Amino acid sequence: MSQTANNPAARAAPKSVLTLSADASRLHGRVALVTGAGRGAGRAHARLLASLGAAVVVLDIDADAANHTAAEIEQAGGRSIAITADITQRALAEQAIARSVELLGGIDILVHNAGLIYSMTGLENTDEANFDRLLQINVHAPMYLTRAALPWLRASRAARVIFISSQWGQVPDGHSYGYMVAKAAQLGLMKTMAKEFVREGILVNAVTPGAILTRMVPDEYIADECANIPLGRLAHPEEIAAAVAFLASDQAAFITGQVIPVNGGALMVGI
């Protein structure tokens, strides 16, 4: 059994990850909006972007979680606001963008992180309502938000749209149809946006994590997950955030339409 499964302390991020924000002014003057930022990987994205100097909109359907993350950023010396919205509803997504711009003056970085997963079922037991909900959160919501944010992305000197997809959008596992299809569709959406907006200087990319140490992976499943990953462990949320921070930075100014796998080698063995 994996040491991670037996040792709760293993859920803490490696020290090398926690020192990634050495250049604390790298994103100074930019505004980042992160969806699903109340907890888990989204929280890590928001905190790291803020530590690099960005003002961060913490957007989440859970008001308490959003407020908690925003408060953490403020307490650490960053600038953040919390917005609560169900971004699968177009009008609410548009209102969230408008409110962000009203309070922070624009949007430079848009991180489509919000996501969920339902039962791990085969085709015959796939629930249509759940299937539709996964498409709404992974495809419809990013489309609504990006479209609403376009005037400000076009005005930005360093516009970035970053999708948090999944390795299972690249290599399906033969079940969890709603999740697999939604994540694959998300990658198609990303590439289409990247091609449309490349001449306008809006860079669009995706990060495809494997299993991450968040509440989406209960402790009882960690050992099995680790057994399928060449590096022998799950990703820490901060390790996914590091890829997001890179894509948001000037160092990634020549990268668009790309899929960046962060999965401990799982994709190379076809998992």
Side-chain angles (χ1 to χ4, degrees), residues 61 85-95 133 136 140-141 144-145:
I61 198 169
D86 179 355
I87 55 175
T88 65
Q89 298 184 44
R90 185 178 68 181
L92 297 181
E94 292 171 349
Q95 289 172 19
R133 180 65 177 170
Q136 289 167 1
H140 294 197
Y144 298 151
L145 288 166

Side-chain angles (χ1 to χ4, degrees), residues 10 12-14 16-18 20 41 44-45 48 207 209 211-213 231 233-245 262-264:
S16 60
V17 174
L18 297 177
L20 284 170
H45 305 329
L48 183 54
V207 177
I212 311 172
L213 282 166
L231 279 180
R233 64 175 179 84
L234 274 60
H236 294 277
E238 292 82 3
E239 292 175 304
I240 312 305
V244 172
V262 185
N263 53 50

Side-chain angles (χ1 to χ4, degrees), residues 169-211:
Q170 300 171 278
V171 179
D173 65 358
H175 53 71
S176 305
Y177 276 78
Y179 187 77
M180 304 300 160
V181 171
K183 288 301 186 182
Q186 196 177 60
L187 293 176
L189 179 64
M190 177 277 291
K191 292 177 182 179
T192 305
M193 285 184 181
K195 193 163 188 177
E196 178 179 1
F197 300 119
V198 64
R199 296 297 183 187
E200 300 184 66
I202 301 172
L203 307 186
V204 188
N205 293 287
V207 177
T208 53

Side-chain angles (χ1 to χ4, degrees), residues 86-197:
D86 179 355
I87 55 175
T88 65
Q89 298 184 44
R90 185 178 68 181
L92 297 181
E94 292 171 349
Q95 289 172 19
I97 293 294
R99 183 63 172 161
S100 301
V101 172
E102 177 187 351
L103 294 175
L104 295 178
I107 295 176
D108 303 280
I109 303 161
L110 190 54
V111 182
H112 296 304
N113 169 81
L116 47 82
I117 188 169
Y118 288 116
S119 58
M120 310 285 278
T121 58
L123 181 62
E124 292 176 307
N125 295 315
T126 294
D127 181 87
E128 292 181 15
N130 290 345
F131 189 97
D132 290 343
R133 180 65 177 170
L134 286 162
L135 287 173
Q136 289 167 1
I137 192 68
N138 286 286
V139 182
H140 294 197
M143 181 179 69
Y144 298 151
L145 288 166
T146 306
R147 187 163 56 190
L150 275 175
W152 293 278
L153 292 171
R154 284 172 169 145
S156 172
R157 65 179 180 83
R160 305 286 192 270
V161 179
I162 303 166
F163 286 80
I164 308 302
S165 186
S166 169
Q167 72 179 42
W168 288 284
Q170 300 171 278
V171 179
D173 65 358
H175 53 71
S176 305
Y177 276 78
Y179 187 77
M180 304 300 160
V181 171
K183 288 301 186 182
Q186 196 177 60
L187 293 176
L189 179 64
M190 177 277 291
K191 292 177 182 179
T192 305
M193 285 184 181
K195 193 163 188 177
E196 178 179 1
F197 300 119

Side-chain angles (χ1 to χ4, degrees), residues 53-65:
V56 177
V57 180
V58 176
L59 179 55
D60 203 286
I61 198 169
D62 184 328
D64 289 341

